[in-house]
C-alpha cells in the first residue's frame, strides 16, 4: 500500500473510533464530510435539541451519509436529561426508581424513554448509571444512582437495560468500574477509589456483572483512579482495568466507550490528545468527545494524535483497527436493534408520572399538615450543580404548585447570595410568607452547609414550614414536616405539588 493510501486508511480508522459532538440543531458540513470519510458515531447534547421531530430530521440527515451511523445521547432521565432539557424530564431518575424498588416499573420507564429516543433517531444511550452511590458526599453521582445497595442497583440496572433495548435503543452501563465511592468530580480533577479488590468485587462490580448478563453491548469507562488494579492510570487509560478486569474477568466482549475525554480527570495530566491515544491503547474502542470541545478542530487534533501515535509506534495499528472493528460491529448490531425495536407510542406523562408519584415519601408531620388550602410562598434553595446536569434544565416545585394554587409566590436563593449578604432570608423568605404556608425546597441539603443552615433557620422561625427535599435524603435539620422526592426531575416536582395540594397523601 502506498504511503498516501496508508495515510488515508489510518485517518478512516482514527475517525471511526471517535464519537464527537457538534453545535447547532442542523448537521454542520464538517460533520457530514467526516461521516463520509469514516466517522462512525456522533453524540447529541441539549444544544442540538429543540423537539423530537427536529432531532429526527437531524439524525435522518446524518444517516443519509451512513445508514448505520451510531447516534448517541447522554440521556439518563431524571436530573440528567438532554431530550427534555428545556422542560425537565417527564420521567424520574434512577434514585427514585431504586426507592420504589419495582424492577417492572423501572423497565417500563426505560422502555418509554427508549421509544422517544428511537423516534428521534437515537441508537445509543449513555445510560444507565450502574454506579453504587456508597459515598453520600459524592459530588457527581448522587440521585443518578439507583441507590447505595449493590443488590438494588444490580436489579434496576438489568431492568433499565432490558426496557431501553426492547424499544430499539442500545444501553451503555457506566461508569466502569464504579464511580459511586468517590469525593471528587471527575469533570475537574482525578478522583480515587481506594478500596481493596474484595470490597470492589462486593460493592462496585455487581451491577456491571448484571448489565453484562442483561445483554448490554456497551460499557462506559470512568475517569477515576482504582489503585487496587492500577496505581498509576485512571480506568479509562488503564489496560489492567479495561482488558484485565472488564474483558477477561467480567467477560465483556462489546463496545468500550470512554467518558468524555476532555474532562479534567484525564486532560490535566495527559492533554486531550494524549488522553485519547492512551485510552485507545488501553482498550477503549470509542472515544466520546464534544460535551465541551465540540468543533472540527478538536476532531482534527484527535485524528492527528491517533495517526501520529500509530506511525510513531506509541499505538499499534492492530489495536486501532481492532477498536474500529468493534465500532463497526456495534453499529451493525444497534442498527438491527433499532429496526426491530418496539415502535409503540410513548406514554408521555403517564408512566413517568406514576413512577415519580410512587417514589415520594412523607413524614408523619407532613401528612398531618396536608393539604395546603392557601397559596403558599415557596423558597427554593438552589445549589451549584455538577456539569452532568444542564444549567438550563428547570427544576423545583413552585411552578407546578402555582398551577394548582394560583397566587403561589416563590423565590430561588443561591448559597453565594447568602454568603455575600446580597440576599437575606428574612426579607425574601419569611416576610412574604407571613400569614401563609411556607414551603422550603432543597436539593441535597446534607451536602451543602449553607443550605442546611438556611433550612435550620427557616424552620426555627416557621415550625409549620414543609420541607421538600429533591436530592438525597439527609438529616434535614429541625423540620419535622418533610417530603422526599428522591430526584429533581420535572415529574418529581409535579408529584410533590400534587401531594402538597391533595388529601390523598398516602
Amino acid at each position: 500500500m502506498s504511503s498516501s493510501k496508508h495515510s488515508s486508511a489510518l485517518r478512516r480508522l482514527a475517525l471511526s473510533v471517535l464519537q464527537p459532538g457538534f453545535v447547532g440543531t442542523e448537521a454542520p458540513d464538517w460533520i457530514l464530510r467526516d461521516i463520509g470519510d469514516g466517522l462512525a458515531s456522533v453524540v447529541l447534547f441539549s444544544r442540538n435539541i429543540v423537539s423530537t421531530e427536529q432531532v429526527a430530521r437531524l439524525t435522518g440527515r446524518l444517516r443519509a451519509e451512513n445508514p448505520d451511523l451510531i447516534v448517541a445521547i447522554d440521556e439518563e432521565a431524571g436530573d440528567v436529561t438532554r431530550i427534555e432539557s428545556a422542560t425537565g424530564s417527564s420521567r424520574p431518575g434512577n434514585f427514585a426508581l431504586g426507592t420504589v424498588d419495582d424492577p417492572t416499573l423501572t423497565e417500563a420507564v426505560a422502555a418509554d424513554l427508549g421509544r422517544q429516543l428511537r423516534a428521534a433517531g437515537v441508537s445509543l444511550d449513555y445510560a444507565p448509571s450502574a454506579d453504587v452511590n456508597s459515598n453520600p458526599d459524592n459530588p457527581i453521582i448522587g440521585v443518578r444512582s439507583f441507590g447505595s445497595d449493590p443488590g438494588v442497583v444490580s436489579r434496576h440496572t438489568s431492568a433499565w437495560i432490558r426496557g431501553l433495548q426492547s424499544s430499539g435503543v442500545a444501553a451503555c452501563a457506566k461508569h466502569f468500574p464504579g464511580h459511586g465511592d468517590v469525593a471528587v468530580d471527575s469533570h475537574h480533577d482525578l478522583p480515587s477509589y481506594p478500596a481493596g479488590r474484595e470490597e470492589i468485587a462486593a460493592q462496585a462490580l455487581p451491577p456491571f456483572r448484571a448489565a453484562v448478563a442483561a445483554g448490554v453491548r456497551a460499557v462506559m469507562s470512568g475517569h477515576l483512579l482504582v489503585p487496587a488494579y492500577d496505581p498509576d492510570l485512571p480506568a479509562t487509560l488503564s489496560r489492567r482495568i479495561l482488558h484485565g478486569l472488564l474483558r477477561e474477568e467480567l467477560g465483556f466482549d462489546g463496545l468500550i466507550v470512554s467518558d468524555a475525554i476532555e474532562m479534567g480527570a484525564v486532560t490535566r495530566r495527559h492533554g486531550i490528545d494524549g488522553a485519547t491515544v492512551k485510552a485507545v491503547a488501553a482498550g477503549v474502542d470509542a472515544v466520546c468527545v464534544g460535551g465541551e470541545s465540540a468543533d472540527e478542530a478538536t476532531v482534527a487534533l484527535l485524528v492527528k494524535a491517533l495517526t501520529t501515535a500509530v506511525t510513531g509506534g506509541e499505538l499499534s495499528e492492530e489495536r486501532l483497527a481492532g477498536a474500529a472493528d468493534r465500532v463497526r460491529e456495534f453499529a451493525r448490531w444497534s442498527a438491527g436493534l433499532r429496526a426491530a425495536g418496539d415502535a409503540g407510542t410513548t406514554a408521555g406523562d403517564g408512566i413517568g408520572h406514576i413512577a415519580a408519584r410512587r417514589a415520594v415519601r412523607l413524614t408523619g408531620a407532613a401528612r398531618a399538615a396536608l393539604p395546603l388550602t392557601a397559596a403558599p410562598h415557596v423558597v427554593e434553595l438552589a445549589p451549584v450543580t455538577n456539569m452532568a446536569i444542564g444549567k438550563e434544565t428547570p427544576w423545583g416545585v413552585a411552578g407546578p404548585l402555582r398551577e394548582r394554587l394560583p397566587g403561589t409566590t416563590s423565590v430561588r436563593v443561591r448559597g453565594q447570595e447568602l454568603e455575600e449578604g446580597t440576599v437575606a432570608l428574612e426579607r425574601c423568605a419569611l416576610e412574604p410568607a407571613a400569614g401563609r404556608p411556607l414551603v422550603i425546597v432543597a436539593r441535597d441539603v446534607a451536602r451543602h452547609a449553607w443550605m442546611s443552615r438556611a433550612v435550620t433557620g427557616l424552620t426555627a422561625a416557621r415550625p409549620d414550614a414543609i420541607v421538600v427535599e429533591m436530592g438525597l435524603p439527609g438529616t434535614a435539620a429541625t423540620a419535622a414536616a418533610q417530603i422526599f422526592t428522591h430526584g429533581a426531575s420535572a415529574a418529581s416536582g409535579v408529584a410533590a405539588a400534587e401531594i402538597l395540594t391533595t388529601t390523598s397523601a398516602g
Side-chain angles (χ1 to χ4, degrees):
M1 185 185 296
S2 70
S3 61
S4 62
K5 284 185 177 180
H6 185 238
S7 176
S8 176
L10 271 185
R11 183 173 185 273
R12 288 189 72 86
L13 288 178
L15 273 170
S16 71
V17 303
L18 300 180
Q19 295 194 337
F22 57 90
V23 176
T25 56
E26 295 184 1
D29 290 341
W30 68 267
I31 277 281
L32 298 175
R33 282 197 306 272
D34 280 352
I35 294 170
D37 289 344
L39 185 69
S41 317
V42 297
V43 187
L44 302 181
F45 294 91
S46 56
R47 62 180 176 239
N48 306 119
I49 294 167
V50 175
S51 66
T52 300
E53 295 74 21
Q54 166 265 325
V55 178
R57 290 193 298 272
L58 170 61
T59 55
R61 178 68 187 93
L62 293 166
R63 286 210 175 91
E65 303 297 323
N66 174 7
D68 286 351
L69 183 75
I70 300 165
V71 179
I73 196 169
D74 187 18
E75 174 61 51
E76 299 176 15
D79 290 31
V80 179
T81 180
R82 311 296 178 224
I83 200 74
E84 296 183 295
S85 65
T87 58
S89 179
S90 58
R91 306 167 184 90
N94 285 2
F95 189 52
L97 295 171
T99 297
V100 177
D101 199 12
D102 177 353
T104 301
L105 179 68
T106 295
E107 189 169 340
V109 169
D112 185 57
L113 173 62
R115 285 189 288 272
Q116 183 180 10
L117 296 180
R118 181 180 180 275
V122 171
S123 55
L124 169 63
D125 187 7
Y126 294 151
S129 167
D131 307 295
V132 180
N133 196 60
S134 47
N135 184 347
D137 290 327
N138 192 321
I140 187 64
I141 301 300
V143 296
R144 300 168 65 193
S145 167
F146 290 110
S148 58
D149 178 82
V152 170
V153 177
S154 297
R155 276 197 297 281
H156 292 276
T157 294
S158 297
W160 215 95
I161 290 165
R162 287 196 304 270
L164 188 77
Q165 296 193 162
S166 74
S167 297
V169 177
C172 178
K174 65 185 183 186
H175 306 81
F176 188 82
H179 215 301
D181 193 11
V182 302
V184 171
D185 183 345
S186 52
H187 287 94
H188 306 297
D189 212 337
L190 179 62
S192 180
Y193 180 21
R197 290 196 181 196
E198 286 187 9
E199 182 181 338
I200 292 169
Q203 185 75 17
L205 295 182
F208 290 98
R209 293 186 185 278
V212 173
V216 81
R217 297 284 288 270
V219 170
M220 177 177 281
S221 64
H223 299 331
L224 69 159
L225 199 66
V226 189
Y229 286 92
D230 192 327
D232 302 314
L233 293 169
T236 298
L237 313 183
S238 171
R239 180 170 171 79
R240 297 179 194 175
I241 292 174
L242 298 183
H243 185 79
L245 180 58
L246 180 55
R247 291 270 188 235
E248 294 186 341
E249 189 174 324
L250 269 63
F252 178 67
D253 193 38
L255 187 75
I256 298 179
V257 184
S258 78
D259 204 347
I261 204 67
E262 65 261 51
M263 288 164 63
V266 291
T267 58
R268 275 176 176 256
R269 182 174 173 187
H270 305 285
I272 190 171
D273 47 352
T276 295
V277 170
K278 289 181 181 300
V280 175
V284 164
D285 304 306
V287 177
C288 172
V289 63
E292 299 167 73
S293 305
D295 51 48
E296 183 179 8
T298 297
V299 173
L301 172 68
L302 300 189
V303 167
K304 183 179 180 182
L306 288 166
T307 56
T308 302
V310 170
T311 56
E314 185 182 353
L315 172 67
S316 75
E317 186 170 348
E318 182 183 19
R319 168 79 275 268
L320 183 61
D325 284 345
R326 272 213 170 84
V327 171
R328 280 192 290 271
E329 180 185 351
F330 181 88
R332 286 192 296 270
W333 172 79
S334 63
L337 184 72
R338 187 162 47 88
D342 173 13
T345 58
T346 62
D349 289 341
I351 193 66
H353 179 70
I354 290 167
R357 180 70 182 250
R358 286 182 63 185
V360 177
R361 301 289 183 266
L362 290 76
T363 61
R367 199 170 270 111
L370 298 179
L372 298 178
T373 54
H377 183 57
V378 182
V379 180
E380 295 179 333
L381 303 172
V384 175
T385 56
N386 62 62
M387 289 179 67
I389 299 171
K391 291 180 180 179
E392 73 283 354
T393 305
W395 67 279
V397 178
L401 255 184
R402 196 172 290 114
E403 294 176 8
R404 289 156 180 79
L405 288 174
T408 294
T409 56
S410 66
V411 64
R412 184 161 284 189
V413 180
R414 293 165 177 80
Q416 186 178 356
E417 296 169 327
L418 293 179
E419 289 164 5
E420 292 173 348
T422 54
V423 168
L425 290 176
E426 179 71 31
R427 289 196 303 274
C428 74
L430 295 175
E431 289 177 8
R436 305 165 57 193
L438 175 62
V439 176
I440 304 162
V441 183
R443 196 169 178 180
D444 289 325
V445 68
R447 287 196 56 244
H448 303 283
W450 72 267
M451 197 181 296
S452 181
R453 287 193 298 270
V455 171
T456 300
L458 289 172
T459 53
R462 285 288 301 268
D464 63 328
I466 297 174
V467 177
V468 181
E469 170 59 85
M470 301 193 80
L472 292 176
T475 53
T478 58
Q482 296 182 67
I483 296 172
F484 303 96
T485 62
H486 304 96
S489 68
S492 297
V494 169
E498 282 188 355
I499 283 174
L500 283 162
T501 55
T502 62
T503 53
S504 56

